Amino acid sequence: MKSLSFPLLTVAGLLLAIAAHGQSAGERFSLTVGLSAVARQDQIFSPFIHSGNSLTNLGFTWERSKRLNQFLELQFSTTSAAASEPYDYSWHPDPEQFSTYPHNFTFLELNYGLGKSWQQGRAQLRAGGVLENNIQALNYNTGPFSFFGYFASFGVAPQIGLSLPAGRNGALDFALQAPLVSWVARSPYLVNDDEFIENTSGHNSLGTLVQFIGDGAVQFPDQLQKLTFSTGYRHDFGKRFDIGLAYRLQFIRHTEPLTLLSYQHQFSICIGLKSGK
């Protein structure tokens, strides 16, 4: 198993930064609920594009503004996806008919951002960095057989943002980020190999996850291209409460051992509660 130093340093930096926040800062807690849509082609498993959508899309964000801006973001979604409509098949020599089931993709993210904002006319500009932590569990159902796959990336990404006033109590927000260096772990060629089987032989979910991540490697944008764009509208109701709409796009392209292309769209309703200041 290769070194875990990169993901461990990422998580350690995230925890230290959260612990450093002060008491007098303005804070905001928000909950997002909505629709997630995925289109994914992973040539390790199939040359086909698998797509689907789901209402299981949840997010929680903590934001803090003082001398520096911080945020901690948790995103969770699970989606059923398929390359075609369900169809019946028989398992020779048994004449009984069976029906296919869609694949199931589960996405989990924990991201921490730190940056600086400044006023430019009516607009507020932001610049900083994000520690990205992304784990994906992939269950492929192919007729009588099923396969488990995974993708995990832990990266350091610069982020830029823009906020604009919209009406009397509203604001439009835009953000864009892309990692410059990442620790990436992914299912092996031909779905599983001797090391994959060894990693799963302990039948311990957490231990297996650690083994999978440890088999990864540090990679750069020539191997992993990952882009996250978000935009939203927020309307304030008094000093403590706001509600809005948000859209988020995440694009992933990874080339080893075979090409992965993934587009994930999220459309959400966002409810926020502010404190401090």
Side-chain angles (χ1 to χ4, degrees):
M1 186 181 71
K2 299 182 179 71
S3 170
L4 284 172
S5 58
F6 191 89
L8 288 177
L9 286 174
T10 298
V11 175
L14 187 155
L15 295 174
L16 287 173
I18 295 171
H21 84 85
Q23 298 298 319
S24 60
E27 295 183 336
R28 178 175 178 268
F29 300 87
S30 61
L31 176 69
T32 58
V33 180
L35 170 70
S36 177
V38 172
R40 184 183 184 93
Q41 181 193 44
D42 188 340
Q43 294 188 26
I44 289 177
F45 295 91
S46 169
F48 302 113
I49 297 172
H50 299 92
S51 58
N53 53 69
S54 171
L55 290 174
T56 309
N57 172 33
L58 303 172
F60 176 80
T61 304
W62 165 81
E63 300 169 87
R64 173 181 177 268
S65 300
K66 199 179 180 185
R67 288 180 302 173
L68 295 174
N69 298 328
Q70 300 180 70
F71 72 84
L72 180 66
E73 174 188 59
L74 177 65
Q75 293 278 344
F76 172 81
S77 63
T78 180
T79 304
S80 295
S84 64
E85 294 296 321
Y87 58 88
D88 293 332
Y89 66 94
S90 60
W91 185 243
H92 184 76
D94 190 345
E96 183 181 354
Q97 291 287 301
F98 301 91
S99 182
T100 58
Y101 294 94
H103 313 310
N104 185 266
F105 303 148
T106 300
F107 304 91
L108 179 65
E109 292 185 52
L110 179 63
N111 305 316
Y112 172 75
L114 181 66
K116 184 74 174 177
S117 63
W118 63 95
Q119 204 71 25
Q120 187 71 37
R122 298 184 66 204
Q124 185 183 67
L125 304 176
R126 302 188 308 277
V130 180
L131 298 177
E132 299 183 335
N133 303 277
N134 187 322
I135 296 176
Q136 303 179 4
L138 316 164
N139 290 288
Y140 285 88
N141 300 304
T142 55
F145 304 106
S146 63
F147 303 97
F148 174 77
Y150 63 92
F151 174 87
S153 67
F154 306 86
V156 179
Q159 184 192 64
I160 56 174
L162 169 67
S163 294
L164 295 169
R168 184 174 179 181
N169 296 310
L172 289 170
D173 189 80
F174 306 87
L176 181 68
Q177 67 195 53
L180 297 180
V181 58
S182 303
W183 180 277
V184 181
R186 190 176 163 204
S187 296
Y189 180 65
L190 295 180
V191 182
N192 59 59
D193 55 12
D194 292 344
E195 194 166 13
F196 180 95
I197 296 171
E198 182 181 352
N199 289 341
T200 58
S201 62
H203 303 288
N204 181 291
S205 298
L206 181 59
T208 298
L209 175 62
V210 171
Q211 295 281 346
F212 284 160
I213 294 173
D215 289 336
V218 174
Q219 299 191 348
F220 298 93
D222 61 325
Q223 298 159 307
L224 172 69
Q225 297 91 52
K226 185 168 178 278
L227 180 73
T228 304
F229 169 76
S230 60
T231 184
Y233 169 78
R234 189 169 74 195
H235 187 88
D236 291 328
F237 291 92
K239 295 182 178 180
R240 300 298 185 192
F241 178 73
D242 60 68
I243 190 169
L245 300 173
Y247 167 74
R248 186 175 189 260
L249 165 66
Q250 186 171 92
F251 165 77
I252 298 174
R253 179 178 182 269
H254 188 248
T255 58
E256 295 182 1
L258 292 173
T259 300
L260 161 68
L261 287 172
S262 174
Y263 295 86
Q264 184 181 20
H265 305 269
Q266 295 174 312
F267 305 88
S268 305
I269 297 174
C270 181
I271 301 172
L273 179 65
K274 292 172 282 189
S275 63
K277 283 189 179 180

